[in-house]
Amino acid sequence: MESCDCRATLSATAVPVETLINRFPSSGMITVSARICDVNCSVKNSYISILYGDHQDQNNSFVFKSMLSGLPTCEPVSGGGIGMILTSKGEASGVNFHDNAILSNIHFLHETIIGNAICSIRLTANGRTFEVPGCIFCISENNQN
C-alpha cells in the first residue's frame, strides 16, 4: 500500500483582508489553516478551517470547518510549484453564516515563484456569500521561516 502524500499544510494567521459580503465591501481579519493531501490519502487526512472576524458588522463573522471530501485538482504553475483547486462542503458557525456551507473553488499555490498563497476564497451559506478577492500569502508548516 502506498503512503499518503500530503502536498501542502498551509496557514495564514490574523491577516487583515478586504472582503465582499453579498457583493458589498467589508473588511476584517482572517485565519486559514489547510492540509491538502493527494490520491493515496483517506478523507480524514485533509481539512480546511477558516476563522473570520468582520470589522464593520460582527454578524458577518464566522468559523468554517471541513474535512475535505474530495481530491484537489492539481496543476503545475508557470515558474514552478503547484496550484491546487478544491471545493468543499462543511459547517459554518456564526450569525449570518451558519449550518451547511460550501467553499467553492478555493486555490492554494504551493512552492511557487511568489511563495505560498491561498486565493479566491468564496464561501456560501444561508443564501449569503463571503469572498476574499485576490490572494493571502501564507507559510507552509513544512518550511518554517
Side-chain angles (χ1 to χ4, degrees), residues 62-83:
F62 64 88
V63 174
F64 171 81
K65 293 187 258 183
S66 175
M67 299 300 280
L68 302 180
S69 56
L71 298 172
T73 300
C74 298
E75 298 177 357
V77 175
S78 177
I82 190 161

Side-chain angles (χ1 to χ4, degrees), residues 54-66:
D54 194 274
H55 292 310
Q56 277 86 24
D57 183 351
Q58 286 301 307
N59 288 336
N60 288 327
S61 300
F62 64 88
V63 174
F64 171 81
K65 293 187 258 183
S66 175

Side-chain angles (χ1 to χ4, degrees), residues 13 21 36 41 53 73 96 121 132 144:
T13 305
I21 308 287
I36 304 164
C41 304
T73 300
N96 290 336
I121 299 171
V132 179
Q144 300 277 331

Side-chain angles (χ1 to χ4, degrees), residues 6 8 13 15 21 25 35 39 57 61 68 86 91 98 117:
C6 289
T13 305
V15 177
I21 308 287
R35 181 175 177 195
V39 291
D57 183 351
S61 300
L68 302 180
L86 59 89
E91 184 91 9
H98 56 86

